[in-house]
Amino acid sequence: MKNIVKGLTLALVVVFVFASCAKAPTQLMDSAKAAIQGVVDAKGGVYAKDELNTLNGDLQAAMDEVTAQSKKFFKKFGPAKEMLTKLVADADAVKALIPGRIEEAKSAADIAVNEAKATCEEAKALLEKAPKGKGTKADIEAMKADLAGLETAMADVQSAVAAEDYFGAKDKAMVIKEKAATIVEQVNAAIAKVKGR
Amino acid sequence: MIFRKTAVFVLAVLLFGCRTSPVPPEVLEADLQEQDLWRAGASLFAGQEHAAYAQSLKSARRTLDAENLKLGWFRDYGRIRRDFEAALSAGKALRSKVRSIVAVKTSSLAETATAVRRRLQTLDGLTRSLVERGEARKQLVQASILLSEADGLTRQAKFDEAAAKLDSASSLAAEAEQRVVSYIARYLDPAQVRAWKTAADETIADSRKRSVTAVIISKLERRLSVYKNGEIIRTFDIGLGFNGLADKRHSGDNATPEGRYTIIRKIPSSLYYKALLINYPNDEDRRWFAREKARGNIPGSVGIGGDVEIHGGGPDSLTRGCVSLDNNKMDELYALVSVGTPVTIIGTMELDNYVIKAIRGN
C-alpha cells in the first residue's frame, strides 16, 4: 500500500513538472509582434495591406491558441510555437516584398507625373501659338488661367512624391493630365476653327 | 483462424475507419466570407457587429480543431456545420449592414460632391461670362481636381479621405466665389442697380419725348438695345473690354465706361470693320478723373483714355474697352443710328440679375 502511495505521488510530481509547468512561448510571441510591427513600419499598411491583414489574423489565432492552452492543466504549446515561428517567417517575407512594391508604385507615380507634365507643357506650347483673334482670344485667356491652376496643382503632386505618397501622387497626376489634355483638345479645336475660316 | 481475424479487422477498418466525413463546405465558405468582409472594411464600418461575428467564427473554428483531433471514425461534423452556419449567417447580416453603411456614406458624399460640382459649374460660367481670367479660375481648376480625386476615393470606400478632399474643394470654391463677388460687387448693390436703371429710363423717356433713336448698352447682359420713340426696336449681343464689367477709370484699364454719351462720328471703315465713336471722356468723366487724380487715387502719369467705339469684329469680350458686335449686326446698327444718337452705358437694369441669381443659387 505504501509503495502504491509513493508511486502515485511520484507520478503526480512528474505530471506536474512536465505538464503544468510548461511555459507560454513569450519570447516567440514578442518576436512575432515585432516582426509584424516591422511590416507596419516598412509601410505595409499601404503597400502590403492584404498580407498585413493575414499576418494580424494569424497572430490573433496564435495568441488564441496560447490563451486556450494556458487555461488547460495539461498545457501543450507546440502548435502555438509552430504558428508563431511560421508567422515570424511570413512577416519577414512580406517585409521583403515591400521595397519592390514601393519601387513599383514610385515608378507608376513617376510615369503619371511625367505624362501630366508633358501634357501641361504641350498645352502651354499650344496656348502660346494659339490664334488670338476675335472669337478665340477670350477662350484662350480662360484656358491660360486654367493651365496656371493645373501647374499649381502639379506642385502638390511633387509634394506627394516627396512625402512618398505614390498612390496619391499618381491619382492627382492622372487627373491633371486628363484636364490638361482637355485644354490641348480645346486649343486644337480653336486652331482648326481659325484655319477653317 | 489467423486469416479470419485479419479479414474481420480489414472489414472493420473499411466499414468504420474510412468513414471520416469530409470537412463541411461551410468551413471554406466562412474563410472566403471572412476575406470578403475584411476587404469591405467590416471592422471599420460596423465594429461591434464585426467583433460579434469574429467571436462566432472563432468559436466555430475552435470546435472544428477539437473535432479534428479525434480519430476519423469518431468525428461528427454535424455540430461543426451548425456552428459555421451560424457564423456564416452572422457574416451575411454583417455584409448587408456594411453594404448599407457604405451606400449611405457614398450617397452622402455624392450629394456633397454634386453640390460642390454645381457651385463650380456656376462659378465657371460666371468667370467665363464676366471675363474673370485670374486667380478665381485657377482656384476653380484646383477645386475640380480635388473633386475628381474625391470621386475616386469614394469609389475605393476611402470615405474620410474623400470627405477631406471635398472639404478642400469646397473651400477653394468659396474663395473663388469671394473673388468673383468682389469683382462684381457693384452688380449686387441694389442702390447702384437702381441708379443705372434710372439713367436708362431717362434715356428711353428722352427718346420718346424727342422722337429720337437712342442706344442703351447693358454691360452685365452683354446687350445693346436700340430704342425709337421710347420703344425697343432691336437688340444685339455684344462683347466688352477685357475688364469690361468695371467702370473705366483711366487709359489702359481695359474697362468699358459707364455714363451718358453720344455718337460723335461714324467710321465706315475701321480696324474692326465699321465703327461708331462715342464722346468718352465727357465733361462728367473729366471732372471725376481730375478729382480722383487730385486725391491721388489715379497715378499722375496716367491719362484718362479715349477712342471708345462701338465696332465690328465679333462680340468677343476682349476689346480694350470698346463695345464689339458681329459685322452683319454692325451693318444693321450702323444704319439705325446717326451722329448725335444718345448712347447710355450702364452696368445692368435688372435688380434680380443672373449674377445675383447664380450667387444666391450657391
Side-chain angles (χ1 to χ4, degrees):
Chain A
M1 183 65 186
K2 215 176 172 182
N3 282 342
I4 294 172
V5 171
K6 274 183 181 172
L8 275 175
T9 310
L10 186 64
L12 273 174
V13 168
V14 169
V15 165
F16 184 78
V17 168
F18 286 99
S20 167
C21 285
K23 279 185 184 173
T26 45
Q27 206 176 337
L28 256 179
M29 280 153 62
D30 289 345
S31 301
K33 283 179 192 165
I36 290 182
Q37 190 54 46
V39 174
V40 173
D41 293 345
K43 297 196 173 173
V46 180
Y47 298 102
K49 243 173 150 181
D50 285 1
E51 289 87 346
L52 185 61
N53 176 54
T54 307
L55 289 175
N56 278 322
D58 291 350
L59 177 66
Q60 189 57 51
M63 299 303 276
D64 287 347
E65 175 63 20
V66 171
T67 311
Q69 291 302 324
S70 300
K71 285 176 187 164
K72 290 182 180 173
F73 185 77
F74 293 105
K75 298 175 176 53
K76 199 173 133 192
F77 289 112
K81 281 180 185 170
E82 272 175 36
M83 287 162 91
L84 289 166
T85 309
K86 183 178 177 297
L87 182 54
V88 171
D90 288 351
D92 289 344
V94 171
K95 196 178 166 187
L97 280 177
I98 296 173
R101 296 221 178 137
I102 292 179
E103 265 315 299
E104 216 173 278
K106 184 177 183 298
S107 140
D110 284 345
I111 291 170
V113 169
N114 288 336
E115 285 179 356
K117 267 186 195 165
T119 316
C120 283
E121 286 302 319
E122 187 186 355
K124 201 172 186 176
L126 273 172
L127 279 170
E128 289 305 318
K129 67 170 188 180
K132 295 182 189 72
K134 290 274 179 188
T136 58
K137 196 173 174 184
D139 291 339
I140 299 290
E141 292 300 324
M143 285 186 264
K144 275 186 179 171
D146 293 352
L147 186 64
L150 294 182
E151 283 171 341
T152 307
M154 274 308 287
D156 295 341
V157 176
Q158 299 294 1
S159 307
V161 171
E164 296 184 355
D165 173 14
Y166 299 122
F167 291 140
K170 184 188 163 197
D171 289 348
K172 205 177 190 92
M174 282 167 74
V175 176
I176 292 174
K177 184 194 161 192
E178 193 187 309
K179 291 194 183 291
T182 308
I183 295 180
V184 169
E185 268 175 43
Q186 287 171 345
V187 181
N188 280 329
I191 291 170
K193 190 172 138 189
V194 170
K195 276 183 183 165
R197 275 180 185 169
Chain B
M1 189 63 187
I2 290 172
F3 174 74
R4 229 172 112 187
K5 278 184 180 174
T6 310
V8 168
F9 177 74
V10 169
L11 194 64
V13 167
L14 284 174
L15 283 175
F16 302 103
C18 297
R19 249 185 54 189
T20 309
S21 319
V23 174
E26 285 83 357
V27 175
L28 176 63
E29 212 180 309
D31 284 346
L32 296 175
Q33 187 186 55
E34 188 187 21
Q35 279 300 313
D36 176 50
L37 285 168
W38 180 78
R39 278 176 206 286
S43 60
L44 214 66
F45 299 127
Q48 273 189 330
E49 289 84 347
H50 182 263
Y53 154 80
Q55 189 54 45
S56 128
L57 185 62
K58 199 159 106 180
S59 137
R61 280 178 179 153
R62 201 174 293 146
T63 323
L64 175 69
D65 288 345
E67 206 61 33
N68 282 340
L69 289 175
K70 295 178 184 171
L71 286 174
W73 52 82
F74 293 118
R75 281 179 205 161
D76 174 15
Y77 284 127
R79 198 184 142 205
I80 310 291
R81 172 167 270 157
R82 280 192 300 279
D83 284 359
F84 272 91
E85 274 171 357
L88 280 168
S89 163
K92 205 171 165 189
L94 175 60
R95 185 71 182 94
S96 154
K97 174 147 196 180
V98 169
R99 209 170 274 140
S100 115
I101 291 171
V102 166
V104 168
K105 282 186 181 270
T106 305
S107 142
S108 154
L109 283 173
E111 211 172 287
T112 311
T114 304
V116 176
R117 190 165 285 118
R118 201 182 308 125
R119 193 178 193 182
L120 291 181
Q121 275 166 357
T122 305
L123 290 168
D124 179 57
L126 271 178
T127 53
R128 277 181 191 277
S129 72
L130 300 174
V131 201
E132 205 287 346
R133 302 281 186 259
E135 204 57 34
R137 277 205 73 85
K138 265 174 73 176
Q139 285 170 323
L140 291 180
V141 166
Q142 286 170 268
S144 74
I145 292 170
L146 289 167
L147 200 57
S148 299
E149 288 182 274
D151 287 344
L153 290 166
T154 304
R155 280 194 295 276
Q156 294 168 41
K158 292 179 178 171
F159 299 120
D160 291 343
E161 288 174 61
K165 295 273 180 194
L166 281 177
D167 270 354
S168 304
S170 187
S171 301
L172 276 168
E175 279 177 41
E177 183 177 307
Q178 203 52 47
R179 283 180 195 278
V180 171
V181 167
S182 71
Y183 180 63
I184 50 169
R186 294 185 312 137
Y187 295 81
L188 303 170
D189 174 11
Q192 173 65 76
V193 177
R194 271 194 293 273
W196 282 328
K197 188 169 176 358
T198 302
D201 286 344
E202 285 172 4
T203 305
I204 297 165
D206 181 57
S207 155
R208 186 178 298 116
K209 193 177 161 191
R210 295 197 293 125
S211 299
V212 294
T213 300
V215 170
I216 292 178
I217 292 169
S218 188
K219 297 205 295 186
L220 187 63
E221 288 76 25
R222 301 279 198 281
R223 190 174 60 212
L224 184 155
S225 305
V226 181
Y227 287 79
K228 192 155 191 182
N229 303 325
E231 297 298 325
I232 195 161
I233 56 165
R234 190 77 174 90
T235 59
F236 301 101
D237 290 334
I238 56 161
L240 297 170
F242 185 80
N243 188 22
L245 286 185
D247 190 11
K248 192 160 188 66
R249 291 166 61 84
H250 53 76
S251 70
D253 63 4
N254 292 325
T256 302
E258 291 158 19
R260 295 184 189 189
Y261 304 99
T262 50
I263 293 171
I264 53 171
R265 205 174 132 207
K266 290 176 82 174
I267 306 164
S269 178
S270 87
L271 187 60
Y272 296 111
Y273 196 57
K274 294 175 181 175
L276 302 164
L277 181 68
I278 64 170
N279 63 331
Y280 173 85
N282 60 20
D283 292 343
E284 195 185 331
D285 294 324
R286 286 181 203 284
R287 276 197 299 275
W288 181 88
F289 183 79
R291 193 175 60 232
E292 291 299 304
K293 208 161 190 179
R295 284 176 183 167
N297 292 334
I298 293 171
S301 58
V302 173
I304 192 168
D307 291 337
V308 176
E309 297 174 343
I310 301 169
H311 59 62
D316 206 327
S317 282
L318 287 169
T319 68
R320 285 182 296 172
C322 294
V323 175
S324 60
L325 293 84
D326 273 329
N327 290 347
N328 58 342
K329 302 290 185 311
M330 190 62 207
D331 283 336
E332 274 189 67
L333 178 66
Y334 198 86
L336 287 170
V337 299
S338 51
V339 170
T341 296
V343 176
T344 298
I345 305 177
I346 58 169
T348 183
M349 275 199 262
E350 293 168 23
L351 268 168
D352 203 15
N353 58 64
Y354 81 91
V355 172
I356 289 179
K357 282 182 192 161
I359 298 293
R360 259 193 219 136
N362 274 338

